Amino acid sequence: MIDLDAIRSNVGVLAAHAGAAQVMAVVKADAYGHGLVASAHAALAGGATWLGVAQATEALELRAAGITAPVLTWLYKPGEPLDALLVADVDVSVSSGAALLQVLDAVRATGRTARVHVKVDTGLGRSGVQPVELPALLDAAVAAQAEGALEVVGIWSHLAWADAPDHPTVLAQTGVFTDAVALAEQAGAHLEVRHLANAAATLTNPAMAFDLVRPGLAVYGLSPVPQLGGPERFGLVPAMRLEADLVLTKVVPAGHGVSYGHEYVTPAETVLGVVPLGYADGVPRHASGLGGRPGAPVQVGGRRLAVAGRVCMDQFVVDLGPGAAEAAGDVVVLFGTGADGEPTAEDWAAACGTISYEIVTRLGVRVPREYRGAPELLAAAGVGGGERG
Ligand SMILES: *Cc1c(COP(=O)(O)O)cnc(C)c1O
């Protein structure tokens, strides 16, 4: 279940942190598993004025859904034609001279003027032009701008340690970024937006908002800095609740091995429940209960229980306890807001040795996304209710 009202209100929280800066809601990876188009509409309703995605297909899907807000996309392959992006009025990131040529190919093919955000590697060590190569890239981009081929509308970068706000690299990257912005302005770029902050920086470091912030995880109500506080600390509400109906319950005797490899053995006669979600659905195999250690937490009938034994491809097992009254059809909650004592995505991340980003984004296509929220958000998402189509 995806709560679109939560997404809308989370974006409002982020906008308040951003002050005068605009909010680009990052909706890549199917909006972190929450559903691209429905989440994008809810984010825009919450005050986002931009949308950010990693891949061209994601940007084009937003446009196909009738979304006209500015969209930036930043990851494309060498040789991948960018024509459709320009025709759809999608802004593109440029991290290298080769990428600039790729954009210019699309300009020639379409007759459009490209809107380009030059990405600078201020220290993450991933995408972006090295600062030493920035002047040459800016020269080439501004020359193309003079010919009307493109507009350099943005300078941007990404942080390595935003989730550790006091880490020295945060300040260092901000310094390199400020220099890059100054260089672009001197070169004659027509900058509309300078942007550096992801969700963690948006929530912890208002000085890094510049003109635009790019939060992802917090849009969906999860804390990007769990060591500093959970969602409630920032007024965020987790939007995703993952639950399933038990497909089978049955009594087994003491000493009964459970699931592949019998990593769990029943300590007494008990009731087992079978949950129809497995690693093919995005339930991590690391959620297994192994060698006597309980697996990731679940909630059944108000009780906090755990995955028993190995998570399989399509299912896992929970020991419901001796005499448990549950029957097939009863609900098992894997994670939700936590407000009713259920586990959270953060609890699952901790149990699996990963981050909540991975828990929500990895949910598979077999898990239906059902939406709730204000009628106008459901209608905009094309999932029922409301008047607007
Ligand atoms: C994914 C991503 C974001 C959003 O990151 P969060 O940590 O989820 O806020 C922002 N910018 C870039 C370049 C990204 O790849």
Side-chain angles (χ1 to χ4, degrees), residues 38-118:
S39 301
H41 279 293
L44 293 169
T49 51
W50 284 73
L51 297 170
V53 290
Q55 299 184 351
T57 48
E58 299 171 318
L60 296 174
E61 204 179 317
L62 291 169
R63 288 290 184 252
I67 291 173
T68 56
V71 173
L72 171 65
T73 184
W74 52 76
L75 211 54
Y76 46 89
K77 287 176 279 195
E80 178 179 337
L82 304 179
D83 308 14
L85 292 174
L86 300 198
V87 170
D89 204 18
V90 172
D91 291 17
V92 292
S93 175
V94 163
S95 281
S96 67
L100 183 66
L101 293 178
Q102 209 173 329
V103 171
L104 291 174
D105 281 345
V107 168
R108 268 188 296 277
T110 61
R112 296 295 181 118
T113 302
R115 288 171 49 89
V116 165
H117 299 233
V118 172

Side-chain angles (χ1 to χ4, degrees), residues 26 28 32 54 74 119 126 156-158 196-200 202 214-218 220 224 357:
V26 177
K28 63 189 180 186
Y32 290 46
W74 52 76
K119 184 157 196 190
R126 198 176 72 180
W156 74 304
S157 189
H158 197 42
L196 177 61
N198 61 358
T202 303
R214 297 189 315 272
L217 190 73
Y220 312 100
Y357 291 78

Side-chain angles (χ1 to χ4, degrees), residues 116 137 179:
V116 165
L137 181 60
D179 291 347

Side-chain angles (χ1 to χ4, degrees), residues 9 14 36 48-49 63 81 118 129-130 146 149 177 191 197 205 217 222 225 232 261-262 267 318 323-324 355:
S9 99
L14 290 159
L36 175 65
T49 51
R63 288 290 184 252
V118 172
V129 62
Q130 288 298 114
F177 183 67
L191 295 187
N205 211 330
L217 190 73
L222 300 174
V225 283
E232 64 293 342
H262 287 175
V318 176
I355 52 178

